[in-house]
Amino acid sequence: MWETAPRLKVEKQDADLMDQLIRCGSTPQQSVLRMRIVLGASEGVSNSQMAEELGTTRSTVIKWRERYRTHGLEGILEDAPRSGRRKTITPEKEAAIVQATLSTKPADGTHWSTRTMAAAQGVSDTTVYRIWNAHRLQPHRVETFKFSRDPRFAEKVRDIVGLYMNPPERALVLCVDEKSQIQALDRTQPMLPLRPNLPERQTHDYKRHGTTTLFAALNALDGTIVGECQSRHRNQEFVRFLKKIDGSVPTDLDVHVVLDNYGTHTHANVQQWLQQHPRYHLHFTPTGASWLNLVERFFSEITERRLRRATFRSVPELVGAITLYIKNRNRSPKPFVWTAKASDIIRKVRRCAATSEAGH
């Protein structure tokens, strides 16, 4: 029976940081051992049990428990402090690190790391990491964005969001687009199957066997899909797809079609077909705002669930897989429910545009 050890009090932010550092593959193993000791002590694990489980000595466990209790996280991640007062970071110094992170860049790089910021500010990289964590700063990350500069942006957003949230009576709302250049890719070697503690694995290189284009119309109300694969995506193919849609929907309903400004959709042949079918009404998304088209959600879904990790040895095999996926999905369709108000979208985009201008 293990002897009882007092539970070590560990701050939540320290515990969260230690969990992250332990999972990080670059953390020195001696630091990992110290953090595991502290975390174990916070859970009330006895000194002897912890020493046996971690392959160390009881005196080592006691040493690092006491080091954290007296000197905090810096005490176990840095060399033992010399006698005297514990090092502290003043509010002014913390503010300077935060401000430098937000408004400056290193002379020889695109973004700060904990080590480069620590060198520039004369503190430890652990201190920088803790300050960044407290202020939720992640200079190593970057995300993409694009907001529309369409002069009729607000008008088009209100039009399309209105269709989603308050659709007209006796009418269908169809979100239409094409996903082009879908490649039939075959890996150069057979995939290695899923195993305990190992993910499914595939070769990084592949063989190309051709491409296809998926034309799709998403019924915004019930989530069903009208889809068709064609070898190209010119105006001729788009008109052919409109004819397929026309044969698939009730003839007594108006059809409101949400689509982008791609040249194929505004071609003279398309305009002629629409004049011959006056029940069709087109609603164009703003330039650079294809995310307003709900069919993009379906394209993301089929890519993630059926295409990205699959192998196809020919275009017909790829087309067959896409067709079967749509058929199975339509047996129990689930609509994508739009919840964002037009006013919220417009306000957010305007705020982002103002921030971008200020950044320049």
Side-chain angles (χ1 to χ4, degrees), residues 202-213:
Q202 61 185 15
T203 60
H204 68 278
D205 52 346
Y206 48 80
K207 301 176 183 177
R208 294 186 177 94
H209 295 292
T211 64
T212 190
T213 294

Side-chain angles (χ1 to χ4, degrees), residues 232-245:
R232 303 179 69 177
H233 56 288
R234 303 166 301 174
N235 68 87
Q236 297 96 313
E237 285 77 23
F238 185 60
V239 170
R240 190 182 309 155
F241 183 59
L242 288 175
K243 293 177 181 178
K244 181 179 178 67
I245 294 175

Side-chain angles (χ1 to χ4, degrees), residues 163-184:
L163 285 175
Y164 294 156
M165 304 188 75
N166 187 26
E169 296 183 359
R170 303 296 302 167
L172 292 176
V173 177
L174 299 181
C175 302
V176 176
D177 202 359
E178 54 267 349
K179 181 176 177 62
S180 61
Q181 297 295 310
I182 306 175
Q183 298 190 72

